[in-house]
Amino acid sequence: DGKAMGTKLTFAAYTTPTLDETKVKKTIDAAIAEIVRIENLMTTWREDAELSRVNAAAGKGTPVKVSPETFDVVKESIHASEISEGTFDITFEGLHGLWKFDQDLDPHPPAEAAVKAKLPLVSYKHIKLDAANKTIYLDAPGVKISLGGIAKGYAVDKAVKVLDDAGLTSFFVQAGGDLFARGKKPDGQEWQSGIRDPRGPGYFAVLPLSDRAFSTAGDYERGYVLDGKRYHHIIDPRTGYPATACRSVTIWAPSAFLADEIDDAVFILGPKEG
């Protein structure tokens, strides 16, 4: 177990003829360190971080140079916005502080006027990329980006690469709702992942996993119910309010990066369009 990116990390792996328990644990420590590296690279919690500097320069006319990894994740985020009718949008950070579902939990929705005032800041079209110079520019004051909806999946894939490169052939990596399982168990069984019941105890389904990723977006983890109405952290960028089309969405995909970038969009769009 470990902790990074505001969530719990869980690893499990089988030893191999060349990797005993001690070596496997060292390999997992290296994978955790890789996730922490990604967190430090893509966080908005530090003023000196790349994305914090991008946000601080919004509307000031000066593009900010970032690392190739951050640039590529932002570029992929824009692609996700384009294919999802804007329902995945990393500029949702412009609404930060209006809704409080984390450590600052406040079971009172913001005023409608406050949401409407901030909504023009939420659009991926505010993000301008320069591939040659690896710069990012936000074209209006107050626009902010955060990779909280996609970076965990990217980090899981990077951790998987560390374990792959070390020679492990049967393992899983989990960061909150994002999980990737490699290979099968020594007895030939696939790894199993439970899908939590969004309204009841336990799980309503179990999904076998082998060389696949799994990501669940749900309205039950961070939120509250007020006057019979549920408010939660998956905000529809088109309205500024929590999405209502789904209770839970699970994506099964070839990479954790892909699963993470589309689970919220599918949740917001609903069963048919999603």
Side-chain angles (χ1 to χ4, degrees):
D1 291 343
K3 191 155 188 179
M5 297 185 133
T7 195
K8 182 182 178 183
L9 309 178
T10 305
F11 292 75
Y14 284 94
T15 57
T16 73
T18 56
L19 292 169
D20 61 16
E21 185 175 344
T22 300
K23 289 179 180 176
V24 169
K25 285 182 175 178
K26 283 184 178 178
T27 301
I28 289 174
D29 285 343
I32 291 174
E34 178 69 348
I35 291 177
V36 171
R37 182 186 72 82
I38 299 298
E39 177 182 29
N40 290 334
L41 188 63
M42 301 186 187
T43 187
T44 53
W45 297 348
R46 293 195 334 265
E47 286 187 8
D48 63 336
E50 290 182 341
L51 294 184
S52 297
R53 290 189 290 107
V54 170
N55 291 340
K60 295 180 180 177
T62 307
V64 175
K65 190 172 182 65
V66 298
S67 65
E69 281 183 285
T70 299
F71 185 89
D72 288 345
V73 173
V74 170
K75 182 179 177 182
E76 182 61 24
S77 299
I78 293 173
H79 173 64
S81 298
E82 291 169 345
I83 64 172
S84 69
E85 300 171 22
T87 51
F88 176 86
D89 197 321
I90 59 174
T91 63
F92 78 92
E93 184 71 1
L95 299 176
H96 185 79
L98 287 181
W99 297 96
K100 298 180 179 179
F101 297 116
D102 296 302
Q103 294 90 342
D104 59 350
L105 181 67
D106 179 3
H108 300 92
E112 186 177 351
V115 175
K116 284 185 175 177
K118 293 265 192 178
L119 209 51
L121 301 176
V122 182
S123 172
Y124 67 94
K125 294 177 181 177
H126 285 303
I127 308 170
K128 309 301 179 185
L129 302 183
D130 182 335
N133 296 306
K134 293 289 187 287
T135 62
I136 302 174
Y137 179 62
L138 308 177
D139 68 3
V143 175
K144 296 178 181 179
I145 59 175
S146 167
L147 296 175
I150 192 170
K152 275 211 311 278
Y154 178 78
V156 166
D157 285 346
K158 296 293 283 185
V160 167
K161 187 176 187 308
V162 170
L163 302 184
D164 282 340
D165 289 349
L168 287 175
T169 56
S170 178
F171 61 82
F172 75 76
V173 177
Q174 182 172 12
D178 298 288
L179 182 148
F180 185 94
R182 171 67 75 211
K184 295 182 179 179
K185 299 178 182 181
D187 63 3
Q189 291 187 50
E190 291 187 283
W191 295 94
Q192 305 285 321
S193 188
I195 304 175
R196 185 172 156 186
D197 186 335
R199 294 293 182 269
Y203 301 95
F204 73 82
V206 175
L207 190 69
L209 285 175
S210 180
D211 301 326
R212 303 294 287 193
F214 166 105
S215 182
T216 294
D219 67 3
Y220 50 85
E221 281 286 352
R222 291 152 55 200
Y224 52 83
V225 177
L226 183 66
D227 298 329
K229 187 172 182 179
R230 184 176 297 270
Y231 297 88
H232 59 89
H233 74 289
I234 303 176
I235 305 297
D236 186 337
R238 300 170 300 183
T239 66
Y241 282 86
T244 58
C246 300
R247 293 179 179 184
S248 172
V249 164
T250 295
I251 302 295
W252 182 81
S255 73
F257 190 29
L258 179 59
D260 197 22
E261 78 177 85
I262 65 174
D263 59 356
D264 284 351
V266 173
F267 185 100
I268 293 165
L269 287 167
K272 187 178 177 182
E273 288 181 45

